[in-house]
Amino acid sequence: MPSSALAIILALLAAILMGTIGVFARFAALPAEHITFYRLMLGALFLLAYMLLTGKGQQISHKPSKRNLVNGAMLAGFMVFYIEAIQYTQMANVIMIIYLAPVVSAIFAHYFFAEKLTRLSMASVVVALMGFMLMIPTGPQQASNHTELLGYFYALLALLTYSGFMLINRKPSLSSPYQSTLVQLCIGALCLLPFVINAPLTPSLPQIAWLVAIGFFPGFLAILLAVKALRQLPAVTFGTLAYVEPVIVVTLAWWIFGETLSPIQLSGVGLIILAGISQGFISQRKVRVASE
């Protein structure tokens, strides 16, 4: 099998595994900070073991960059807010709000990094905002539902922290992908450790099984596959394939939890995915032009 085809398969598997975190979190039935702590801590332990077993142990001991330290905190915040949000509203709504991150990052870069928005970029922003508006449930009962609004609030916080995570990670790093990932997982777990200690809980045996699954599949294996895929694929191709994740989340939410979206909301999903993919191609073209 050609290396590019294998890389595409790895990227798709990474997106599918990332899409399982919401399902596992609901079955674990633990507070968001506890789930996130175990996801990051176990993910770091699995990655540490992988690096030792594959001869990458020399990369473990290094001085982490400030950027990776900050991004670890961003990762912890993003995961906590995401898991908290799906306790109050549909998983599909939450994941699609989070996937506005490429567009939000482009707007932020326009004002703070002097990366001016082109007409195509502005068009993708408008399309994404239209999709977001279509995703919001309508009707007097849903509009006045405090629980639903709380879910959207946490989803927006997840969006902001994920956008920050993307903006910080966008610049080249001297650290290897394994080093950056290991540091970010460890720092994220340390950020949540005080909350876990302050409200100690003893998971049941089934909950422990779900936590191990969270730490291994979306916490370690998905990241490992993504790192391997990114070595072979252009960033824009990987970013496009990553949009399989929200499709997986919507499908799992419907199949397992009976969550459905109206035709209007599904139209919003399509617009957000279209805007995100378009923004990826636009960003890649900017990088290509700048390097010429």
Side-chain angles (χ1 to χ4, degrees):
M1 182 182 293
S3 59
S4 59
L6 179 60
I8 290 173
I9 292 173
L10 293 179
L12 289 172
L13 288 174
I16 291 169
L17 291 172
M18 283 292 186
T20 63
I21 178 65
V23 174
F24 290 161
R26 281 197 176 173
F27 282 125
L30 287 168
E33 61 272 17
H34 285 256
I35 293 174
T36 306
F37 170 75
Y38 284 106
R39 188 249 187 181
L40 298 175
M41 182 194 70
L42 292 174
L45 291 176
F46 283 125
L47 180 58
L48 196 63
Y50 173 81
M51 292 175 71
L52 290 171
L53 292 172
T54 55
K56 297 180 176 64
Q58 72 279 5
Q59 296 185 27
I60 295 172
S61 179
H62 72 285
K63 182 180 180 180
S65 65
K66 293 180 180 178
R67 185 170 59 183
N68 281 333
L69 296 178
V70 174
N71 243 6
M74 287 286 184
L75 180 61
F78 157 62
M79 288 305 305
V80 166
F81 295 137
Y82 172 46
I83 294 172
E84 195 70 35
I86 64 174
Q87 308 303 321
Y88 297 101
T89 189
Q90 294 190 87
M91 289 168 53
N93 293 339
V94 176
I95 195 67
M96 292 317 305
I97 290 174
I98 290 172
Y99 265 80
L100 286 168
V103 177
V104 172
S105 299
I107 296 173
F108 187 93
H110 172 78
Y111 288 103
F112 296 97
F113 294 162
E115 296 181 11
K116 298 302 181 184
L117 287 170
T118 64
R119 290 182 179 179
L120 289 175
S121 294
M122 288 188 285
S124 71
V125 170
V126 172
V127 170
L129 291 177
M130 288 172 58
F132 174 70
M133 296 302 295
L134 291 174
M135 282 289 297
I136 298 176
T138 57
Q141 291 182 343
Q142 289 172 307
S144 61
N145 190 331
H146 175 72
T147 301
E148 189 84 12
L149 292 176
L150 195 58
Y152 276 91
F153 172 72
Y154 282 118
L156 288 172
L157 291 179
L159 165 64
L160 293 175
T161 48
Y162 187 47
S163 298
F165 180 83
M166 291 181 63
L167 286 166
I168 295 171
N169 259 342
R170 65 189 295 165
K171 294 184 179 179
S173 174
L174 296 176
S175 303
S176 73
Y178 294 104
Q179 288 175 323
S180 299
T181 302
L182 182 62
V183 169
Q184 291 173 21
L185 289 173
C186 290
I187 294 301
L190 287 174
C191 288
L192 292 166
L193 184 59
F195 298 97
V196 174
I197 294 175
N198 188 52
L201 289 173
T202 303
S204 65
L205 205 56
Q207 287 175 322
I208 291 174
W210 287 116
L211 291 173
V212 171
I214 288 171
F216 183 76
F217 292 107
F220 160 69
L221 189 56
I223 293 172
L224 175 64
L225 296 178
V227 168
K228 289 185 174 295
L230 279 167
R231 288 183 172 182
Q232 301 289 334
L233 295 176
V236 65
T237 304
F238 182 84
T240 301
L241 294 172
Y243 271 86
V244 170
E245 180 184 349
V247 176
I248 293 297
V249 171
V250 171
T251 303
L252 291 176
W254 165 75
W255 182 38
I256 299 175
F257 302 111
E259 295 182 0
T260 58
L261 296 177
S262 68
I264 293 179
Q265 288 178 305
L266 288 172
S267 301
V269 170
L271 289 177
I272 291 173
I273 292 175
L274 175 63
I277 293 174
S278 300
Q279 188 57 46
F281 279 103
I282 293 167
S283 299
Q284 183 72 11
R285 191 174 70 171
K286 284 182 180 179
V287 171
R288 194 186 306 115
V289 171
S291 62
E292 291 176 351

